[in-house]
Amino acid sequence: MSDDDRSYLVVLNDEEQYSIWWSDRALPAGWRAEGTEGTREQCLSRINELWTDMRPKSLRLRMDGASV
């Protein structure tokens, strides 16, 4: 269990790569909020549910196009 009582956001970039960010800070350039806010553990759990394919979006699209 963590002593971290801060609130976090789940964030993602244009390549659909996920991370967490402090909810009381401005988002870094190139990142947007996914919609989940909570403890560090809650946000990491949400990322675990969402991010099932670790490849960047551009690579997934390129590979999907190559298989057509």
Side-chain angles (χ1 to χ4, degrees), residues 24-42:
D24 63 347
R25 294 193 184 180
L27 295 178
W31 293 83
R32 64 187 183 280
E34 171 272 334
T36 302
E37 181 174 351
T39 65
R40 176 180 165 83
E41 291 77 17
Q42 289 169 329

Side-chain angles (χ1 to χ4, degrees), residues 1-20:
M1 195 64 119
S2 172
D3 290 333
D4 186 356
D5 60 354
R6 291 179 284 192
S7 181
Y8 291 86
L9 299 172
V10 173
V11 297
L12 72 154
N13 63 21
D14 290 339
E15 287 288 341
E16 297 180 355
Q17 297 168 309
Y18 289 85
S19 189
I20 61 173

